Amino acid sequence: MTDLTTPPTTSSEAARWAPGSHVLWRYKENAGNRIHICRPVTVVRDTEELLAVWMAPGTECVKPVLADGTPVHHEPLATRYTKPRAVRRDRWFGTGVLKLARPAEPWSVWLFWDPGWRFKNWYVNLEEPRARWAGGIDSEDHFLDISVRPDRTWQWHDEDEFAQAQRAGLMGAGKAQEVRAAGYAAVDVIRSWGPPFSDNWQHWRPDPDWTIPPLPDDWDRTPTHVTS
């Protein structure tokens, strides 16, 4: 398995990860350079066409909070993106999440299940195309999302946060137009039922022998080099 305690390597060494490898799925803060979300995950598949990873229930993660420890979504929307923030270690409870990312696409697709492996929905997370490094991938969340139900109906999510992020100066008008266009491109894939929706990932199950990846002490380390 990938050793997350070693320094990051050059891009030439950031080869494909074998199934079962442990890597980090990270997001940097909006309009900043610090990593504020970090989730250790297990690689399911890593090819030129797709990176699939599993975030197991109980995984220790890092998430943003307000400086006083208040959960971000408890803060009124008008001041949610202007109050000082910190990060906190926490655990992912409930069912796990399967994340699918196709190179260069400005979104990833997440699969959620209810207890008992009853499939719940796909979730399209609009984000910066992921930068790959030896220990994982880095991206930036773009606020706007899309959920897709098992009957293939879909809906936008977090449009209020998307608008507020622009008012707060976290995203310029040009970038917002790019994000909305990416959302419409994702909707086109949903309507045509293209990959990964058509690939039957909802029937996938994790290897029962997999262990939960640990959160390393240097989870926010800066890679020496990244590659898309």
Side-chain angles (χ1 to χ4, degrees):
M1 294 201 174
T2 302
D3 184 357
L4 297 180
T5 64
T6 58
T9 59
T10 64
S11 61
S12 62
E13 295 173 295
R16 298 293 164 189
W17 297 302
S21 298
H22 292 170
V23 298
L24 300 178
W25 186 295
R26 310 191 305 183
Y27 291 95
K28 70 182 184 71
E29 62 186 354
N30 301 97
N33 293 312
R34 296 184 305 171
I35 298 296
H36 74 156
I37 294 174
C38 180
R39 296 165 179 165
V41 295
T42 301
V43 174
V44 176
R45 179 186 300 175
D46 184 22
T47 68
E48 293 184 358
E49 293 78 30
L50 181 73
L51 173 63
V53 303
W54 169 245
M55 183 169 64
T59 298
E60 187 178 18
C61 304
V62 171
K63 68 178 185 179
V65 293
L66 299 186
D68 63 2
T70 300
V72 170
H73 284 85
H74 288 185
E75 179 67 18
L77 186 62
T79 53
R80 186 173 300 170
Y81 300 121
T82 56
K83 283 198 171 182
R85 291 194 179 189
V87 295
R88 184 178 72 191
R89 288 178 177 244
D90 205 346
R91 291 193 179 273
W92 186 272
F93 290 102
T95 58
V97 183
L98 179 67
K99 298 187 177 188
L100 310 175
R102 292 161 61 88
E105 279 186 342
W107 65 78
S108 56
V109 178
W110 304 0
L111 282 77
F112 291 88
W113 288 265
D114 286 324
W117 286 104
R118 186 169 64 87
F119 183 63
K120 184 177 181 181
N121 65 278
W122 294 269
Y123 198 83
V124 179
N125 195 73
L126 296 172
E127 61 192 34
E128 199 69 19
R130 291 138 305 278
R132 183 185 180 100
W133 55 286
I137 59 170
D138 291 350
S139 183
E140 179 179 336
D141 184 76
H142 286 161
F143 301 98
L144 191 62
D145 305 301
I146 306 166
S147 68
V148 185
R149 290 176 286 272
D151 64 2
R152 304 189 184 185
T153 57
W154 59 274
Q155 67 181 75
W156 297 102
H157 284 273
D158 301 329
E159 291 191 274
D160 56 343
E161 293 190 356
F162 182 58
Q164 185 61 34
Q166 295 170 64
R167 288 192 290 268
L170 298 183
M171 180 181 292
K175 187 62 178 182
Q177 291 177 353
E178 291 179 12
V179 173
R180 180 65 77 171
Y184 287 129
V187 168
D188 286 343
V189 176
I190 295 165
R191 285 172 170 163
S192 65
W193 210 243
F197 304 101
S198 59
D199 292 337
N200 293 316
W201 282 102
Q202 65 270 32
H203 304 301
W204 173 87
R205 300 293 182 266
D207 187 326
D209 292 331
W210 282 348
T211 59
I212 296 178
L215 178 67
D217 292 336
D218 60 347
W219 56 267
D220 59 346
R221 69 187 183 272
T222 301
T224 55
H225 188 86
V226 297
T227 179
S228 60

